[in-house]
Amino acid sequence: MGHHRKALRTSAVGAVSATLIAGGVLGAAPAAQAATNGVRFVDISGEGGTVLKANVVTPAGADGSRTYPLLVLPTSWGLPQVEYFAQAQKLADSGYVVLSYNVRGFWQSGGEIEVAGPPDIADARKVIDWALANTPADARNVGMAGVSYGAGISLLTAAQDKRVKAVASLSGWADLIESIYSGRTQHVQASALLDGASLVTGRQSAELREIFDNFYASNLSKEQDMINWGKKRSAATYVDQLNKNGAAVMMANAWGDTIFPPNQYADFYEKLTGPKRLEFRPGDHATAELTGLLGLPNDVWTDTERWFDHYLKGEDNGIDKEQPVQLKSRSTGGYEGYPDWKSVGATRKKLALSGTTTIHTNVDSGANGGIVFLSSILDQVAKLPPVASIPLLPRAWAAVWQSEKYTTAQQVRGTAKLHTTLTPTKESGTLVAYLYDVGPLGLGKLVSNAPHTFHGQTPGKPFGVDLELYSTAYDVPAGHRLALVVDTVDPLYIEHNPSGARLTFSSPSNDPSYVSIPLREQ
């Protein structure tokens, strides 16, 4: 298993290197153009004197006679400060002072990678200080936005700094642990990608290297330390303070985000009490925003500008009157509006998981969640999610339950929930649940999945398992079935099944097993 993880990390470094080289080529054109538009490249002194490389774009004709709303854009994990040039120029043209900076530990900025720790938030506050002192920025109208890493830092800063009046958090996280360690299971491909990117483009701190090493090694003695480390870097920990500060928060993410799954965003959204908006679209991590970063028309960036126009400029553009939850189905591509997250799956149908089924562990049955980035991008572009032949799945390693054929289309919306009774032969183990759309020939298209790991259970003693699958929006055609498949190995995750272990799923009469399917109200 150790060799497998090393190979993952090595391949991640190679993939990230190629991506960043391509990104540098793409970024060269905006950079050359920007030089004629009065963009300033500056050094800002961050926390502890750490130098942060930044660029400032001001509206054309700004002469110091008036101020403009300020937008601060921290860069994404592993990307250089040219990342936001196209959007920064567009926003400056519409009347914003835009300051983008490379976060500490990456590229030419100083320091080491802190993973949105206290030094990063202190840096963001010093960047705001610098902008208010050195640009025609309006201290009464400060906003922050970012993709991925920049999204998380923006949310965390808004909880710490009352000056931040509006936030657009794009493809980010609200709960770091629920993102890469959901179901008490390491999301190994996602983590290897982050690890590889930081090795190529930045300088890891000793603390971060230790976190990664303990994570890969499944070091349970360090589990609580890792959780505490992650909670300190999660906006969900500071939601009360964020609500008190009253920032208007827009969050956007992709259904298939393999680094920051949608559930943790939806849970956080429900806890916000100020102005808020939640958008989900098909795709993987940051793919929904990508065309906008290249200067092309993009729905996410259009809504981001509208959000800031309303909450920083005071424009009556109607965004505050729209349904605040906006979803784009993976199947139809159309937008749907809802008053809140709980209204998304207004109706629920239960698929009974009857009988008693025992499966062996340590073998991938053929059901899996795909490959980080690639699978969800194929789903986004070509509506081709991971597939499996349900009749051919080996029942020795996969438990399978299927619904009857549906006479009408089933619009799955929101979070499917699994409840079952599990009896293991060992004290630790991992299971992965998959929900499939099964066509007439038995070919299953992946609707959703999620892992679950347990430790410290008594062999031979049953216990209850409740697992939320990743939220989604997917239409099951009439004449198809839904199938729930459970196995024990998936390349996306580290599994904890001892050799020779078996898992038995049962459905006691006083506590029947089921998967609850959320459906759009017809």
Side-chain angles (χ1 to χ4, degrees):
M1 184 179 294
H3 176 76
H4 174 63
R5 292 173 196 159
K6 183 177 179 181
L8 272 172
R9 289 167 59 187
T10 303
S11 62
V13 170
V16 170
S17 300
T19 302
L20 291 171
I21 290 169
V25 173
L26 289 170
Q33 179 185 357
T36 65
N37 292 340
V39 174
R40 282 196 291 156
F41 291 86
V42 299
D43 290 351
I44 298 176
S45 180
E47 180 69 5
T50 297
V51 174
L52 304 174
K53 296 293 182 176
N55 57 74
V56 184
V57 189
T58 52
D63 57 7
S65 62
R66 57 162 291 192
T67 59
Y68 303 87
L70 169 66
L71 293 180
V72 174
L73 311 178
T75 52
S76 300
W77 184 272
L79 291 186
Q81 60 167 306
V82 298
E83 175 185 7
Y84 299 115
F85 257 153
Q87 286 301 320
Q89 292 180 71
K90 186 172 183 291
L91 289 163
D93 287 345
S94 65
Y96 292 93
V97 172
V98 186
L99 192 158
S100 174
Y101 72 97
N102 239 123
V103 292
R104 66 168 54 219
F106 284 104
W107 292 88
Q108 293 175 312
S109 285
E112 296 178 326
I113 301 168
E114 297 286 345
V115 196
D120 286 307
I121 310 311
D123 284 346
R125 301 184 71 174
K126 286 184 178 293
V127 167
I128 295 172
D129 292 341
W130 186 94
L132 295 178
N134 294 277
T135 74
D138 182 357
R140 299 165 299 173
N141 291 293
V142 177
M144 289 189 69
V147 176
S148 185
Y149 197 33
I153 290 174
S154 295
L155 273 181
L156 285 159
T157 304
Q160 302 288 334
D161 195 323
K162 293 181 180 179
R163 295 175 297 180
V164 181
K165 301 299 183 186
V167 173
S169 181
L170 314 178
S171 289
W173 78 93
D175 190 323
L176 192 56
I177 296 302
E178 280 302 308
S179 296
I180 61 172
Y181 194 56
S182 69
R184 210 177 174 185
T185 309
Q186 298 97 321
H187 297 206
V188 67
Q189 284 191 13
S191 300
L193 192 66
L194 295 172
D195 189 5
S198 62
L199 289 170
V200 171
T201 65
R203 298 167 299 282
Q204 294 183 354
S205 66
E207 181 185 39
L208 176 57
R209 186 66 259 156
E210 183 180 3
I211 288 289
F212 273 127
D213 290 343
N214 287 332
F215 185 86
Y216 295 133
S218 306
N219 188 345
L220 288 179
S221 69
K222 298 292 185 179
E223 181 184 38
Q224 193 57 51
D225 290 343
M226 182 188 71
I227 290 172
N228 294 340
W229 177 88
K231 293 299 182 186
K232 185 185 293 184
R233 291 159 169 79
S234 298
T237 303
Y238 312 102
V239 65
D240 290 343
Q241 188 62 43
L242 183 59
N243 287 333
K244 182 180 177 181
N245 288 351
V249 177
M250 171 183 156
M251 299 187 297
N253 203 358
W255 294 119
D257 195 320
T258 43
I259 295 180
F260 303 130
N263 299 46
Q264 46 93 29
Y265 247 20
D267 291 344
F268 181 71
Y269 173 83
E270 289 290 273
K271 297 173 184 175
L272 294 173
T273 58
K276 58 183 179 178
R277 182 179 178 92
L278 179 66
E279 301 181 354
F280 284 129
R281 296 173 174 83
D284 206 310
H285 185 63
T287 61
E289 298 87 8
L290 180 59
T291 55
L293 291 176
L294 299 176
L296 302 174
N298 181 275
D299 289 355
V300 184
W301 285 103
T302 296
D303 285 349
T304 295
E305 185 171 352
R306 292 175 63 223
W307 189 254
F308 287 132
D309 285 349
H310 180 75
Y311 287 102
L312 297 184
K313 289 184 178 179
E315 292 185 5
D316 186 15
N317 57 16
I319 196 166
D320 59 318
K321 300 179 180 66
E322 297 171 1
Q323 297 275 41
V325 177
Q326 293 285 322
L327 310 182
K328 193 173 186 180
S329 168
R330 291 166 51 199
S331 304
T332 64
Y335 283 100
E336 304 164 1
Y338 299 86
D340 49 38
W341 177 249
K342 64 178 178 290
S343 300
V344 171
T347 304
R348 284 192 171 269
K349 285 186 179 179
K350 287 185 176 180
L351 168 58
L353 310 180
S354 57
T356 299
T357 302
T358 298
I359 60 174
H360 296 265
T361 63
N362 310 119
V363 173
D364 188 342
S365 70
N368 65 64
I371 301 171
V372 65
F373 277 124
L374 177 61
S375 297
S376 291
I377 292 174
L378 283 174
D379 186 39
Q380 175 185 3
V381 174
K383 293 183 172 58
L384 293 174
V387 298
S389 175
I390 305 304
L392 297 181
L393 292 176
R395 277 13 182 206
W397 293 287
V400 180
W401 298 267
Q402 295 192 73
S403 70
E404 298 298 321
K405 288 183 180 179
Y406 293 111
T407 56
T408 59
Q410 305 294 297
Q411 295 181 303
V412 179
R413 299 290 186 274
T415 310
K417 300 178 181 180
L418 167 66
H419 174 75
T420 190
T421 296
L422 173 62
T423 306
T425 59
K426 305 289 185 179
E427 66 173 17
S428 295
T430 297
L431 61 92
V432 185
Y434 309 89
L435 189 65
Y436 282 102
D437 160 25
V438 185
L441 299 180
L443 186 67
K445 295 182 178 180
L446 187 66
V447 178
S448 185
N449 78 100
H452 176 83
T453 293
F454 59 89
H455 297 288
Q457 294 294 331
T458 303
K461 183 178 180 179
F463 63 95
V465 171
D466 289 284
L467 175 61
E468 290 190 350
L469 277 65
Y470 301 137
S471 304
T472 195
Y474 181 98
D475 294 357
V476 179
H480 286 214
R481 310 171 188 264
L482 278 172
L484 183 81
V485 176
V486 179
D487 72 1
T488 63
V489 176
D490 189 304
L492 288 174
Y493 314 112
I494 290 179
E495 50 93 6
H496 297 263
N497 297 295
S499 179
R502 298 183 305 279
L503 303 179
T504 297
F505 302 92
S506 58
S507 183
S509 58
N510 62 341
D511 186 21
S513 296
Y514 61 84
V515 59
S516 174
I517 311 295
L519 300 173
R520 184 183 183 189
E521 191 169 11
Q522 301 296 310

